[in-house]
Amino acid sequence: MDDMKVNQNPKLGSLDRPNSYIGRSLPRENAKKHLEGGGQFVDDLVLPRMLHVAFLRSPFAHADIKSINVDEAKKSSGVFDIYTAKEIDEFCKPWVGTLGHLGEMRSPEQTPLAKKVARWQGEPIAVVIANNRAQAEDALELIEVDWEEKDAQVDMETALDENAVIIHPELGNNLFWTRTVNQGDVVKAFEESHEVVETTLDFARHTGVTLESRGIVADWNKAETKMTIYHNGQAPHMMQHIIAKHLDVNEGLVRIVSRDVGGSFGIKVHVYPDEMAVAAISKKLGRPIKFIADRLESFTTDIHARCHKISGKLGVDKQGKILAMEINDLSGIGPFSMYPRTSAIETNQVLNLSGAPYIIPNYKAVGTVVFQNKTPMCQYRAVGHPIAVAITEALIDKAATKIGLSLDKIRKINFIPDNAYPNKCPSGVPLEDLSHQASMDKLLGMMNIDEIEKQKEDDLANGVLTGYGVIAMCEVTNPSPLFYGVGGAHISSQDGASIRLEGSGAIHLSSSITEQGQGTEAIMKQIAADQLGVSMDTVRVTLGDTDATPYGGGTWASRGAGIGGEAVLKAARTLKNNILDIAAAIMQTNKDTLDIESNVVIRKNGEEGISLQKLAETVYYRGHEIPKGTNPELLATASFLIEGIPFVFTNSAMGCHVSIDQDTGIVKINKFWAVEDCGTQINPKLVEEQIKGGVVQGIGGALFEECVYDDQGNMQNATMADYLVPMAYEMPDIIVDHVTTNSGRSIIGAKGAGEAGTGGAPAVIMNAINNALGKVGSEVTSQPITPEKILKSMNKI
């Protein structure tokens, strides 16, 4: 498969050319650089006169700050100065995390450092500036704070009770946001249903655990009144706007550089108070300032996600056709809504995407989001998908059992047919170009369920519990301006690409998409080389620098190939057309008789052509040889965005086979299958890596990961020794295959492929475990599914 041309999109032109790259599994050139330790991450950066910071953070989840005394700390060795909120607020305006298109949201202003009240354990309240990090940390120990600890509102389920601790008294209660979706008449439909099944699922908070922790170096140049930020984030142009707005700098004089980034998963696409403080300190002092979060800071300040309790109900007729679905989702987001995306989007995705693959004529969904004294929550890889998919697929499994249908059949009779698009989710969100029926058929062919069922009975006879699950899902990718822009957020949904022919004959491409380890650089090269007819080794790529790339959204929501790649394709086609115009003038022929192959403008009749190097040399150095009026332009820029719909959707079908040790409660995932329809695959190997990586992250959410808090809001496992993530030993065989339905919204036809595994794996793993536990009359409804929960469900402990 590595060298096979799997793409079948006719809009891309012939793939039989020897230099055709789209659809081929080619290695990433920058992988070698990283393996040899040649990457440059934020922490590698050392600038003249640079100072380092460390933050004093609240040890309490909720406390009044009576006073802060920094006198002794300022005398500590190497300390340059110490600031509290007053000094930072002079240089940084506050922000509010609300959007205008999702109904009323209520969140107070947030500042880089807490002023009078700390509202989560880890919130920054003071910052030490010193010659190095160690000296800054030593000084932290000498700062004296007069705290008055307050009761914390930790439990989201009691956050709206009359006796709840009100985190922001000016709001009157702890409600951040609520929304109701109502399509059809669920009450009547449930009354008419042959069977109605119900369940309630709990999802624990977890976080991204990126390989590289958050980091920033801010460098204010007084002479040029210019701010340069070296940042391991996902959206450089978004941060450019935010820094300019809140530090009162002309946006054209803010440069964000985000090059090598050691993973992000959505963690690094938000505004963090400590990072804003660093930028403000740099402007105040006129010196470079560096902050690199340590692991404790990462666990208590990186955004969390997935804190949900959701109840659901499903009604079916005698044949198993779904008549109605109703869900009620509760989520707790910490004390503030994150800026600028808001902390409503995860719940909003749950409401929009539950039941998405199926025909459900009557649908009601209620979402309630509350404040609590925990680390703020916001978007993290596969936003809301694990909850939406799990509640849907758990209910469908229950309905299948109740009426005696197989797990695959009940799904197949309720799918939106593959030939019935455009269509809509039960919530009313538009859907296009999906293949649930074909994907499930391919999955079933891979799994051999008859053999699994037989083995399941044999295993039970030997005292071993085994089970399997199958699920279907929709994945949000390639968002349009109807996602954030419509709500007033300065988050670009378009991306741009600029491509030029150098005097040497090489190609230089710059793109607004960033590289987070997913292979952006490789796919951009492949698209450019393919469309221009040049070899990939002549293409150089620049990413992640607002001074050197066109304006765009960056990397989030699986938009790199579908939006950024389309911009590259458009720019490359324009440049190729310009090159052929110039070549036709030089060669005194009609442009239609020419093409580009292997870095040479060829004559289609086989006569001698001209190399791109010679053509470029003629344009740049001997322009007098070119006929007048040719307008020899060897630079092209293009942009692209999705129009008319909120998202382009990818769909997936997944299967899982598990074994459960009845004595220990330990779950072993024997095999995992995934069928993905992400449209055109630019590099099939990178797609496979993305899906497998997502599945591993989904395994973490399903079985291991949880941010554990006590009843006072203290995080109990904020170290890598205590916070569990899946390791190599826990990895099953993951078998990946594809159905290809090209997106009609672009020439390239690519959808996203980065988040399905994370969104679907928790659902299919839970269903497989419950399929096994059903043989002993037990069930688990809480993730992560720990051995303790399994043993409790079996009444063993």
Side-chain angles (χ1 to χ4, degrees):
M1 180 175 179
D2 283 359
D3 295 317
M4 290 176 62
K5 297 165 185 171
V6 299
N7 173 67
Q8 300 296 324
N9 187 349
K11 291 188 285 186
L12 286 172
S14 173
L15 295 177
D16 295 326
R17 305 186 309 273
N19 58 350
S20 174
Y21 290 111
I22 294 178
R24 292 171 58 188
S25 293
L26 300 172
R28 289 183 279 178
E29 288 184 21
N30 66 359
K32 184 174 185 290
K33 175 188 76 173
H34 289 303
L35 286 169
E36 294 176 347
Q40 186 183 56
F41 299 88
V42 173
D43 197 25
D44 294 322
L45 194 65
V46 178
L47 299 180
R49 302 175 65 244
M50 186 167 72
L51 297 171
H52 298 251
V53 299
F55 289 90
L56 180 66
R57 301 181 181 275
S58 173
F60 304 108
H62 201 193
D64 286 331
I65 305 168
K66 296 296 186 181
S67 65
I68 303 176
N69 188 329
V70 300
D71 292 343
E72 284 300 312
K74 282 187 176 183
K75 299 174 186 177
S76 185
S77 176
V79 171
F80 185 89
D81 211 340
I82 300 176
Y83 298 147
T84 58
K86 179 182 177 181
E87 290 84 7
I88 300 297
D89 288 352
E90 293 175 9
F91 288 84
C92 185
K93 300 173 186 175
W95 57 88
V96 178
T98 58
L99 290 172
H101 68 300
L102 294 177
E104 184 184 4
M105 295 182 188
R106 310 178 316 149
S107 187
E109 284 187 342
Q110 193 173 2
T111 55
L113 302 180
K115 295 177 182 178
K116 297 180 180 179
V117 183
R119 294 181 174 87
W120 86 85
Q121 186 190 58
E123 184 173 14
I125 66 164
V127 56
V128 177
I129 306 105
N131 291 326
N132 58 57
R133 173 70 182 237
Q135 290 172 328
E137 289 185 349
D138 288 344
L140 291 179
E141 302 294 327
L142 301 176
I143 298 176
E144 298 176 355
V145 183
D146 184 6
W147 295 100
E148 184 176 316
E149 189 175 3
K150 301 157 67 80
D151 290 337
Q153 181 58 49
V154 178
D155 185 1
M156 66 182 182
E157 294 187 62
T158 62
L160 298 179
D161 290 357
E162 286 186 10
N163 61 347
V165 174
I166 307 301
I167 297 171
H168 303 288
E170 67 272 24
L171 298 183
N173 60 39
N174 292 319
L175 179 66
F176 161 55
W177 178 73
T178 185
R179 178 190 173 207
T180 298
V181 177
N182 209 337
Q183 304 278 356
D185 188 342
V186 295
V187 174
K188 182 180 179 183
F190 281 127
E191 290 174 351
E192 295 174 351
S193 295
H194 174 63
E195 295 287 356
V196 176
V197 294
E198 301 182 54
T199 194
T200 298
L201 305 180
D202 280 291
F203 297 86
R205 278 176 166 252
H206 53 274
T207 188
V209 198
T210 56
L211 190 62
E212 179 196 18
S213 61
R214 287 188 299 110
I216 182 172
V217 174
D219 186 10
W220 172 252
N221 185 319
K222 284 185 178 181
E224 298 180 357
T225 63
K226 181 174 182 178
M227 177 68 83
T228 301
I229 304 280
Y230 301 90
H231 185 233
N232 58 12
Q234 302 173 233
H237 286 99
M238 181 197 82
M239 288 303 299
Q240 180 187 46
H241 166 77
I242 286 167
I243 294 294
K245 176 180 178 180
H246 293 281
L247 270 69
D248 196 22
V249 182
N250 184 308
E251 190 164 330
L253 295 174
V254 176
R255 179 189 181 194
I256 309 293
V257 182
S258 178
R259 292 189 178 126
D260 290 332
V261 178
S264 50
F265 313 128
I267 297 296
K268 298 173 182 173
V269 77
H270 309 290
V271 171
Y272 287 92
D274 45 24
E275 295 177 10
M276 295 299 286
V278 169
I281 293 167
S282 181
K283 189 179 180 189
K284 179 177 174 66
L285 298 180
R287 296 180 64 165
I289 306 295
K290 177 188 278 191
F291 165 65
I292 304 294
D294 63 27
R295 274 300 160 193
L296 175 60
E297 288 176 307
S298 294
F299 276 117
T300 57
T301 65
D302 287 2
I303 62 104
H304 294 176
R306 315 286 201 246
C307 180
H308 290 258
K309 184 168 187 175
I310 185 168
S311 59
K313 183 161 66 168
L314 192 77
V316 297
D317 66 14
K318 290 182 179 179
Q319 287 72 44
K321 293 284 286 182
I322 300 172
L323 301 182
M325 181 177 179
E326 182 174 5
I327 61 170
N328 195 314
D329 183 41
L330 173 67
S331 182
I333 60 161
F336 295 98
S337 171
M338 287 293 286
Y339 177 69
R341 283 167 156 73
T342 85
S343 298
I345 300 300
E346 187 163 85
T347 294
N348 196 57
Q349 297 282 64
V350 174
L351 306 186
N352 284 343
L353 300 180
S354 293
Y358 304 102
I359 299 171
I360 304 178
N362 302 284
Y363 177 76
K364 183 177 181 181
V366 178
T368 304
V369 186
V370 298
F371 295 117
Q372 56 185 170
N373 292 117
K374 292 182 178 180
T375 299
M377 277 202 359
C378 206
Q379 284 87 315
Y380 164 59
R381 191 177 191 181
V383 183
H385 293 63
I387 294 90
V389 179
I391 190 66
T392 302
E393 300 299 316
L395 288 169
I396 288 179
D397 269 19
K398 283 181 172 291
T401 301
K402 199 75 175 283
I403 63 174
L405 278 178
S406 67
L407 302 182
D408 56 294
K409 185 174 182 180
I410 192 170
R411 287 169 169 81
K412 292 173 76 171
I413 66 175
N414 284 291
F415 280 145
I416 299 171
D418 292 354
N419 61 359
Y421 294 97
N423 215 302
K424 291 183 177 181
C425 295
S427 63
V429 175
L431 298 172
E432 297 178 342
D433 307 317
L434 301 180
S435 60
H436 292 296
Q437 292 172 314
S439 296
M440 182 60 69
D441 285 342
K442 178 160 279 193
L443 176 73
L444 297 175
M446 294 160 63
M447 289 180 66
N448 192 353
I449 285 180
D450 289 341
E451 181 61 31
I452 290 174
E453 285 281 15
K454 179 180 181 300
Q455 185 64 43
K456 182 179 168 184
E457 296 302 321
D458 293 342
D459 289 338
L460 185 63
N462 293 321
V464 178
L465 290 180
T466 58
Y468 74 96
V470 294
I471 62 103
M473 66 171 289
C474 289
E475 174 193 354
V476 168
T477 77
N478 297 3
S480 82
L482 295 174
F483 191 26
Y484 285 122
V486 69
H490 282 251
I491 299 171
S492 180
S493 292
Q494 77 160 35
D495 275 291
S498 180
I499 188 167
R500 68 177 183 261
L501 178 62
E502 307 277 20
S504 65
I507 302 295
H508 181 221
L509 163 66
S510 61
S511 167
S512 56
I513 294 293
T514 55
E515 175 66 71
Q516 315 287 312
Q518 78 278 43
T520 296
E521 183 177 332
I523 65 171
M524 297 308 176
K525 278 189 176 187
Q526 285 183 244
I527 295 168
D530 182 88
Q531 294 298 296
L532 284 170
V534 303
S535 59
M536 275 186 62
D537 59 8
T538 63
V539 181
R540 180 167 61 92
V541 178
T542 296
L543 305 169
D545 185 340
T546 58
D547 271 10
T549 63
Y551 204 94
T555 295
W556 48 277
S558 296
R559 58 196 305 283
I563 297 179
E566 187 77 4
V568 172
L569 178 141
K570 291 174 65 180
R573 288 190 170 186
T574 300
L575 177 59
K576 180 178 181 179
N577 187 64
N578 293 352
I579 291 171
L580 294 179
D581 278 336
I582 297 166
I586 293 172
M587 300 163 73
Q588 299 183 357
T589 187
N590 188 301
K591 182 174 72 173
D592 293 340
T593 68
L594 304 176
D595 202 352
I596 304 175
E597 286 186 6
S598 302
N599 301 76
V600 175
V601 179
I602 63 166
R603 296 179 189 268
K604 293 179 181 178
N605 64 7
E607 294 180 12
E608 185 179 359
I610 182 173
S611 71
L612 291 184
Q613 181 178 356
K614 287 186 177 180
L615 182 144
E617 288 174 348
T618 302
V619 170
Y620 290 127
Y621 311 130
R622 301 189 303 278
H624 61 281
E625 297 179 5
I626 302 173
K628 292 180 180 180
T630 303
N631 187 26
E633 181 62 75
L634 295 180
L635 170 69
T637 298
S639 60
F640 180 72
L641 80 165
I642 301 297
E643 297 178 315
I645 55 173
F647 319 98
V648 169
F649 280 93
T650 292
N651 68 270
S652 303
M654 297 182 186
C656 180
H657 183 254
V658 302
S659 298
I660 301 172
D661 187 312
Q662 296 188 65
D663 295 323
T664 65
I666 291 175
V667 174
K668 180 183 178 185
I669 302 176
N670 300 313
K671 190 165 285 191
F672 196 103
W673 300 267
V675 175
E676 180 93 349
D677 186 346
C678 60
T680 301
Q681 296 178 65
I682 297 160
N683 187 315
K685 178 56 69 175
L686 291 182
V687 172
E688 183 178 339
E689 288 176 357
Q690 283 289 292
I691 295 167
K692 288 183 175 180
V695 168
V696 172
Q697 216 155 15
I699 290 171
L703 300 180
F704 301 107
E705 297 186 50
E706 179 177 8
C707 298
V708 179
Y709 285 85
D710 66 16
D711 57 8
Q712 295 301 310
N714 301 305
M715 190 172 171
Q716 302 292 289
N717 62 333
T719 73
M720 291 302 295
D722 301 306
Y723 183 95
L724 302 182
V725 294
M727 306 291 280
Y729 180 77
E730 285 85 27
M731 294 303 98
D733 287 337
I734 303 172
I735 313 301
V736 179
D737 209 337
H738 300 272
V739 169
T740 300
T741 310
N742 295 319
S743 169
R745 293 280 165 175
S746 63
I747 296 170
I748 210 164
K751 311 171 191 177
E755 302 183 85
T758 311
V764 73
I765 291 168
M766 176 177 266
N767 280 10
I769 289 170
N770 283 329
N771 182 260
L773 291 175
K775 288 294 185 179
V776 291
S778 61
E779 178 186 35
V780 288
T781 58
S782 173
Q783 293 189 16
I785 305 168
T786 62
E788 179 185 18
K789 291 175 183 176
I790 291 214
L791 293 175
K792 282 185 175 179
S793 77
M794 299 169 67
N795 295 317
K796 297 255 179 147
I797 58 172

